[in-house]
Amino acid sequence: MTAEDRGKGRDPAKGKGRRTGLRSVAGQVFALEALIALLVIVAAVLVTFFQARSDTERDARIRSLAVAEAFAHAPGIDAALTSPDPTAALQSRAEATRKSTGVDFIAVLSPSGVRYTDSRPELIGQKATGDLSRATVEGQAYTELFRGAPNDAVRAVVPVVDDKGRIVGLVSSGIEVESISHAVQGRLPLLIGVAGGALAAAVGGAALVSRRLRRQTHGLGPAEMTRMKEHHEAVLHAVREGVLIVDADHRLLLANDEARRLLGLTAEAEARPVSELGLDPRTVELLESGRSATDEVHRAGDRLLAVSVRPTLTHGSESGCVMTMRDTTELAAVTGRAAVARGRLQLLYEAGVRIGTTLEVVRTAEELAEVAVPRFADFATVELLEPVLRGEEPPEGAAASAEMRRTALSGLRPDQPLQPVGDTVHFDVRNTPMAKALQAGHAVVEPVLAAAEGWRAQDPEGAAQALAYGMHSLLTVPLLARGVILGMANFWRADTPEPFGEEDLSFAEELAARAAVAIDNARRFTREHAMAVTLQRSLLPRVLPEQSAVEVAYRYLPAKAGVGGDWFDVIPLPGARVALVVGDVVGHGLHAAATMGRLRTAVHNFSTLDVPPDELLGHLDELTGRIENGDTEGAAGEARRRDEGITGATCLYAIYDPASGLCQVASAGHPGPALVGPDGRVEFPELSPGLPLGLGLGDVPFESTELRLPEGSKLVLFTDGLLEDHGRDIDTGLGLLRSTLSQADRSPDQTCADVLATLLSPAPRDDIALLVAQTRLLDRDRIAEWEVPRDPSAVSPVRNAAAAKLSEWGLDGLAFTAELILSELITNAVRYGADPVRVRLLHDRTLICEVSDGSSTSPHLRHAATTDEGGRGLYLVAQYAERWGTRYARRGKTIWAELRVGAAGSEPVAMVVPDLDALEDLAW
């Protein structure tokens, strides 16, 4: 390498023999094609240009002659020419015609050639140049290419003849040569552009051809290609490997010197069919079959040849083949062992594919036993430690464990003498092959079982049966993962005469190592799945709360492939209402289950605010975004979010009011509910879908949809795992759900059972949550309502009417407490609220007192000082009511209080309560 080469980083050996540019065949072909394309395109441009000029000039002649003839034969032209002032009569007419026809000039001349009119007024009165005799003398109309003043032009001259046949004037019209040139030049950019595009396409095509040729010739020049051909011939006949080339007709095209020596071919063998060359019949069949082969062993006299065959064309049915061969006579002794080794490698590959197809410990152990039989052993057993089967971490002293559980057994015959699956296998004798393998941590082989005293001493009766059955050799290997023993695998031979040998140890250990990793993965998945299921079940409602608005039934099924984040809930709300919730955290695993629990808790907390569904989902969306952002901060959080597939959550929130039969529903990216009427008619109400929770896609508000539900209707809420499954899309699932729900007169529990029986697959790939709520309506006799004027004197009549209604309901024991609470709430609404003021009593599981007004100002509970004249109203309400609170509507608010039905209604002992009329004068 020269100093210049080293300085420029060139390697003189790299690219040796290669040519670039015009020195290569590809470069020369490219230059020739580009030059031919350039010449053709230039010629085409010139021909097209001159043709366009000729066409434009011809068009100018035709148009000029047509305009001149039309003007000359127009009515009144001959009279105007014989008038005293032809210019005044014809100038404006000629100009109008010129502008409308697009010619450059129209001139009316006298028979002597003097201009009466012209497009250039300064030329009027001057004599036109040029020879006009053909028109004035011969009376012909003609066109010519005129060159002279005022401009070169293509002009037409037409005589004007009067009624007597006399030539009284001439009409000349034309288009200037400059206009013709401009018209042709206007086409020139397009022509050049098209030519340039054609040249670029031609050069591009030449470049593609040249590039392909360069790849095929490797950038070589003609001289190099000739030299390579010579070298190829020299090498082909010098190598110590035979080469045969056969054409598609199975005739020999070429045989190198080594092939002739190995096969005993003569120089006249080429061009003859391979069937006439005296080759071994198997070799002839291989050459004529068209199939590929690699290192097949064929005979050629007393030689053994390793033969490989490949087609000469990778595509197409008509193809010859190339056969290469080498003499392997000396390797015949090791051919059998090579085949065994290849079989073992293939078996290891199949083990990697077949073992661990599921994340179940028992099934993985069964796959290990099935892979080993019959290609490695006649019988195979797998024993695992009890903690491993439960998904727990194996103990530290597993190597010294005295017993394991037989988990899998596979054999050539069903009538085997080994202990069945499920039995406990003991290793009490320490010199058994199993105990030795566990202690040493590697495989142990027992070529002759009859001589294994420790094995026979462990179970004399079982050993005698095994030996009588024909068991004669054993190989045992521990299942190790992360250096911890999970169990062991035993391989037995009975029908195979060869015993296990030392060469089988490494294969058995490799097979066991791969299986141990799969078993450990299944064990850890079993543990995580159990933990996730336990966590999920602990976070879901165990007992539904008591309420009277709906009759509820539910089903929840976790996915077998991985626990997800589906949840449901039934939340009693003030005013005898109930909230029905179904949600789904997108993802699987512990994190999804934990996120589900946090969201469920958040929904419970937000429901205490007693806000409409759309507002609650807005709060939940903001909280979900904070949860996800907090959990995924940093690289570790992002990796966990990506691995667990968590991409937000969906939720459906519905509030049902049994007093009015109205149901408000809002969705955050969740499938809408199914509504089943009392007559069995099924509808899927259209909801505003909303965006999933926590995606951070912008402040897009959620929308509530109001539904009126007749008594006895069923509201069915579900997650998408119920509809979607393997081979079934969501539309098919909706159709199945509709047909299942259409059966009337079923309880919610029976509806749940029927839906799962129809739509549930044996192994659901996603969690399923199903909630069926059958609506009830509160009896109108248990609802009392009053409109209250904004007058303090109206409080007492309403209070007395409420007491009468309580007496009618049989709630006299609550009369005093209810009157006290109503008095305080109504007085506050009259004094500080806004119209309209309404009072409502609901007799449900509790007595509910509601006072609503049009003001959105909420009262606050405070402790009044001894000297304060007011401020004790809400304190009294809080003391006497079971629960109380405020909810807001689109306009105004409602303050409610609940009293336990059946309570004595006595006031706290420490409080001194004035009479009710006096309480109305107290301010809050």
Side-chain angles (χ1 to χ4, degrees):
M1 182 183 294
T2 65
E4 181 181 0
D5 289 333
R6 285 192 297 269
K8 295 183 179 180
R10 293 198 300 253
D11 186 352
K14 186 175 182 180
K16 187 176 181 180
R18 296 172 64 93
R19 294 291 182 266
T20 59
L22 295 179
R23 300 183 63 184
S24 66
V25 172
Q28 294 174 10
V29 170
F30 170 75
L32 181 60
E33 289 184 348
L35 180 60
I36 292 174
L38 178 62
L39 294 177
V40 171
I41 292 172
V42 169
V45 169
L46 292 176
V47 169
T48 304
F49 177 78
F50 287 112
Q51 182 64 39
R53 185 177 183 87
S54 176
D55 292 344
T56 305
E57 183 176 334
R58 183 174 64 254
D59 179 68
R61 288 176 180 271
I62 295 172
R63 188 146 53 98
S64 299
L65 181 59
V67 172
E69 287 181 340
F71 194 84
H73 298 150
I77 297 297
D78 53 348
L81 286 171
T82 57
S83 66
D85 190 358
T87 299
L90 297 174
Q91 174 66 16
S92 59
R93 189 172 179 180
E95 278 300 295
T97 304
R98 179 186 67 82
K99 292 179 181 179
S100 63
T101 57
V103 296
D104 290 336
F105 64 87
I106 295 178
V108 181
L109 312 176
S110 67
S112 60
V114 177
R115 292 184 177 87
Y116 289 146
T117 70
D118 199 277
S119 57
R120 297 168 61 178
E122 66 270 15
L123 298 178
I124 296 175
Q126 298 181 15
K127 186 174 182 179
T129 59
D131 184 10
L132 304 176
S133 60
R134 293 174 60 186
T136 56
V137 177
E138 300 176 8
Q140 296 181 358
Y142 66 92
T143 60
E144 65 177 353
L145 179 61
F146 172 76
R147 298 190 180 276
N151 288 306
D152 296 344
V154 173
R155 73 177 181 180
V157 180
V158 178
V160 181
V161 181
D162 61 6
D163 296 337
K164 298 179 180 181
R166 295 178 303 171
I167 297 176
V168 295
L170 304 175
V171 176
S172 175
S173 69
I175 299 174
E176 296 177 355
V177 173
E178 185 178 357
S179 299
I180 297 174
S181 299
H182 286 167
V184 175
Q185 290 172 1
R187 300 181 186 180
L188 194 58
L190 176 61
L191 188 60
I192 294 175
V194 172
L199 182 60
V203 173
L208 291 176
V209 173
S210 175
R211 183 179 179 184
R212 183 179 180 88
L213 185 60
R214 182 177 289 108
R215 286 201 305 268
Q216 295 177 343
T217 61
H218 303 283
L220 297 176
E224 287 82 358
M225 293 182 66
T226 302
R227 188 164 57 252
M228 178 177 288
K229 175 71 167 53
E230 296 171 352
H231 292 173
H232 174 266
E233 293 289 340
V235 171
L236 182 65
H237 294 286
V239 295
R240 298 295 297 171
E241 186 167 308
V243 178
L244 291 183
I245 300 179
V246 180
D247 64 9
D249 296 328
H250 310 309
R251 292 180 177 273
L252 180 64
L253 294 179
L254 182 145
N256 69 347
D257 295 342
E258 182 67 8
R260 291 172 182 170
R261 183 185 71 84
L262 294 175
L263 299 176
L265 301 177
T266 64
E268 293 78 17
E270 294 184 0
R272 294 174 58 188
V274 294
S275 60
E276 300 177 3
L277 300 179
L279 304 178
D280 184 79
R282 290 184 61 240
T283 306
V284 174
E285 185 275 331
L286 176 61
L287 289 172
E288 293 180 345
S289 66
R291 65 182 177 88
S292 299
T294 301
D295 289 340
E296 287 190 7
V297 178
H298 289 245
R299 284 195 172 275
D302 58 349
R303 293 186 177 92
L304 291 178
L305 305 180
V307 174
S308 298
V309 178
R310 294 291 184 273
T312 54
L313 298 176
T314 57
H315 303 286
S317 58
E318 298 295 331
S319 173
C321 64
V322 177
M323 173 185 282
T324 60
M325 63 198 78
R326 63 183 184 277
D327 192 352
T328 60
T329 305
E330 297 178 355
L331 300 177
V334 298
T335 301
R337 275 184 279 176
V340 172
R342 286 197 301 270
R344 295 285 172 84
L345 290 176
Q346 180 66 25
L347 185 57
L348 283 177
Y349 168 76
E350 292 180 7
V353 174
R354 293 173 55 185
I355 298 177
T357 58
T358 66
L359 289 174
E360 297 180 4
V361 175
V362 174
R363 180 55 193 155
T364 305
E366 292 173 349
E367 290 169 342
L368 169 59
E370 292 168 359
V371 165
V373 178
R375 295 168 61 182
F376 180 66
D378 298 333
F379 295 89
T381 61
V382 180
E383 292 80 42
L384 297 178
L385 295 168
E386 290 286 355
V388 175
L389 290 171
R390 297 192 298 267
E392 301 173 1
E393 192 74 25
E396 293 292 337
S401 176
E403 62 181 35
M404 293 183 184
R405 179 75 61 186
R406 177 149 293 172
T407 310
L409 189 154
S410 180
L412 293 176
R413 291 174 284 168
D415 57 335
Q416 43 78 27
L418 302 174
Q419 289 179 257
V421 173
D423 276 14
T424 301
V425 179
H426 298 275
F427 309 114
D428 298 330
V429 180
R430 292 304 176 186
N431 62 342
T432 62
M434 295 79 165
K436 292 178 182 178
L438 290 175
Q439 289 292 338
H442 58 73
V444 172
V445 65
E446 194 67 54
V448 182
L449 268 179
E453 297 181 358
W455 174 72
R456 298 179 65 179
Q458 174 70 45
D459 182 11
E461 183 179 353
Q465 292 177 358
L467 292 174
Y469 184 81
M471 299 286 187
H472 62 84
S473 185
L474 167 67
L475 192 157
T476 181
V477 56
L479 299 175
L480 287 164
R482 299 174 290 109
V484 178
I485 292 179
L486 307 177
M488 65 185 314
N490 298 308
F491 305 105
W492 312 76
R493 281 184 178 173
D495 296 354
T496 303
E498 295 83 6
F500 288 110
E502 295 296 328
E503 67 276 6
D504 296 315
L505 291 176
S506 59
F507 171 77
E509 289 181 344
E510 178 66 21
L511 182 62
R514 297 190 181 196
V517 171
I519 290 173
D520 191 51
N521 289 338
R523 177 196 62 79
R524 289 193 289 180
F525 174 79
T526 301
R527 179 185 62 181
E528 182 177 342
H529 186 268
M531 292 173 58
V533 170
T534 302
L535 173 62
Q536 192 176 40
R537 291 192 182 280
S538 67
L539 295 175
L540 289 171
R542 299 183 181 181
V543 179
L544 295 181
E546 295 183 356
Q547 45 80 35
S548 303
V550 291
E551 179 185 354
V552 179
Y554 68 90
R555 295 290 188 275
Y556 181 82
L557 285 87
K560 291 186 177 181
V563 174
D566 292 15
W567 90 93
F568 65 93
D569 224 327
V570 178
I571 306 172
L573 297 178
R577 298 170 301 140
V578 65
L580 305 173
V581 191
V582 169
D584 183 4
V585 176
V586 181
H588 294 87
L590 288 173
H591 185 70
T595 303
M596 175 270 290
R598 297 159 85 176
L599 292 180
R600 178 172 177 256
T601 302
V603 170
H604 267 272
N605 291 336
F606 289 139
S607 67
T608 60
L609 300 177
D610 206 357
V611 294
D614 53 342
E615 293 186 26
L616 184 139
L617 291 181
H619 294 310
L620 192 62
D621 178 53
E622 181 181 359
L623 176 65
T624 305
R626 292 202 303 269
I627 290 176
E628 292 298 334
N629 292 335
D631 288 349
T632 57
E633 289 181 355
E638 288 292 344
R640 184 177 70 248
R641 182 185 181 102
R642 182 175 59 254
D643 294 341
E644 296 178 354
I646 299 173
T647 56
T650 64
C651 182
L652 183 73
Y653 189 86
I655 297 177
Y656 174 66
D657 185 358
S660 61
L662 295 179
C663 180
Q664 288 183 304
V665 187
S667 172
H670 197 87
L675 179 59
V676 185
D679 57 353
R681 187 166 57 91
V682 181
E683 297 179 2
F684 293 97
E686 291 189 7
L687 307 180
S688 176
L691 295 174
L693 302 171
L695 293 186
L697 298 179
D699 297 329
V700 179
F702 299 97
E703 295 182 16
S704 291
T705 301
E706 189 172 81
L707 308 174
R708 182 170 295 278
L709 307 182
E711 186 173 12
S713 301
K714 294 187 185 74
L715 195 64
V716 182
L717 285 68
F718 51 86
T719 55
D720 56 4
L722 179 69
L723 303 179
E724 296 179 338
D725 208 341
H726 302 283
R728 185 177 71 200
D729 57 19
I730 192 168
D731 292 332
T732 304
L734 284 174
L736 290 174
L737 181 62
R738 180 189 296 272
S739 61
T740 306
L741 294 176
S742 61
Q743 303 177 27
D745 300 330
R746 289 180 303 174
S747 66
D749 191 75
Q750 185 61 44
T751 300
C752 288
D754 292 346
V755 168
L756 291 185
T758 303
L759 279 82
L760 183 62
S761 64
R765 64 180 180 180
D766 197 3
D767 291 11
I768 295 175
L770 175 64
L771 187 67
V772 178
Q774 186 167 2
T775 62
R776 300 175 178 139
L777 285 178
L778 195 61
D779 193 344
R780 298 305 302 176
D781 293 339
R782 287 176 169 252
I783 303 174
E785 297 178 288
W786 296 275
E787 187 100 11
V788 183
R790 292 285 306 282
D791 185 354
S793 63
V795 177
S796 294
V798 174
R799 188 184 65 208
N800 295 333
K805 179 57 71 173
L806 292 178
S807 177
E808 179 184 334
W809 288 343
L811 301 178
D812 295 310
L814 295 178
F816 174 78
T817 306
E819 287 186 67
L820 173 63
I821 291 174
L822 287 175
S823 180
E824 294 300 327
L825 297 180
I826 297 173
T827 300
N828 182 71
V830 168
R831 288 186 176 181
Y832 307 110
D835 286 329
V837 178
R838 295 187 178 91
V839 176
R840 186 171 73 163
L841 294 181
L842 302 177
H843 181 196
D844 190 38
R845 292 176 178 268
T846 61
L847 176 64
I848 304 167
C849 305
E850 295 181 347
V851 177
S852 60
D853 66 88
S855 172
S856 298
T857 304
S858 177
H860 298 281
L861 178 65
R862 66 187 182 90
H863 293 277
T866 307
T867 58
D868 289 346
E869 295 183 0
R872 298 177 178 81
L874 266 188
Y875 181 71
L876 291 175
V877 172
Q879 289 295 317
Y880 281 93
E882 184 77 17
R883 292 192 309 159
W884 74 279
T886 305
R887 68 172 178 268
Y888 296 91
R890 299 297 180 191
R891 178 184 176 187
K893 66 178 181 298
T894 299
I895 303 178
W896 55 269
E898 291 185 2
L899 299 177
R900 184 182 303 173
V901 175
S906 58
E907 66 277 3
V909 175
M911 295 186 60
V912 179
V913 181
D915 64 87
L916 297 179
D917 291 329
L919 282 175
E920 295 174 4
D921 296 329
L922 296 178
W924 286 28

